[in-house]
């Protein structure tokens, strides 16, 4: 959410965008209520990462990033 705010999105819209993409809920609220085309490319990439976290489950990605998973 803080990264989206740093790109120039207001707090309410940033919160709703993160909640929407992380939970795969549907349209956001505020300025992003209709679509996400008003976001700059950096904001869209942030939301792409949160969509991946929402789809692949956070714990699955964390397991892939731990060194003990990659040991023989």
């Amino acid at each position: 959410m803080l990264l989206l705010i740093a790109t120039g999105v207001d707090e309410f819209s940033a919160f709703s965008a993160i909640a929407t993409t992380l939970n795969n809920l549907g349209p956001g609220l505020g300025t992003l209520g209709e679509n996400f085309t008003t976001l700059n490319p950096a904001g869209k990439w942030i939301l792409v990462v949160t969509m991946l976290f929402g789809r692949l489950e956070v714990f699955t990605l964390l397991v892939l990033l731990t060194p003990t998973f990659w040991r023989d």
Side-chain angles (χ1 to χ4, degrees):
M1 184 175 132
L2 294 175
L3 290 174
L4 271 183
I5 292 171
T7 63
V9 179
D10 64 297
E11 292 88 5
F12 181 67
S13 298
F15 176 76
S16 71
I18 294 295
T20 296
T21 55
L22 190 61
N23 297 316
N24 301 315
L25 291 175
L29 301 172
T31 59
L32 304 173
E34 295 178 14
N35 53 36
F36 294 102
T37 58
T38 58
L39 282 175
N40 57 10
K44 289 178 185 175
W45 278 107
I46 293 167
L47 294 179
V48 165
V49 170
T50 59
M51 283 181 194
L52 285 174
F53 278 134
R55 293 274 180 172
L56 300 175
E57 298 296 328
V58 175
F59 294 114
T60 305
L61 289 176
L62 290 177
V63 166
L64 290 175
L65 297 175
T66 58
T68 55
F69 178 78
W70 297 104
R71 290 189 189 145
D72 289 321

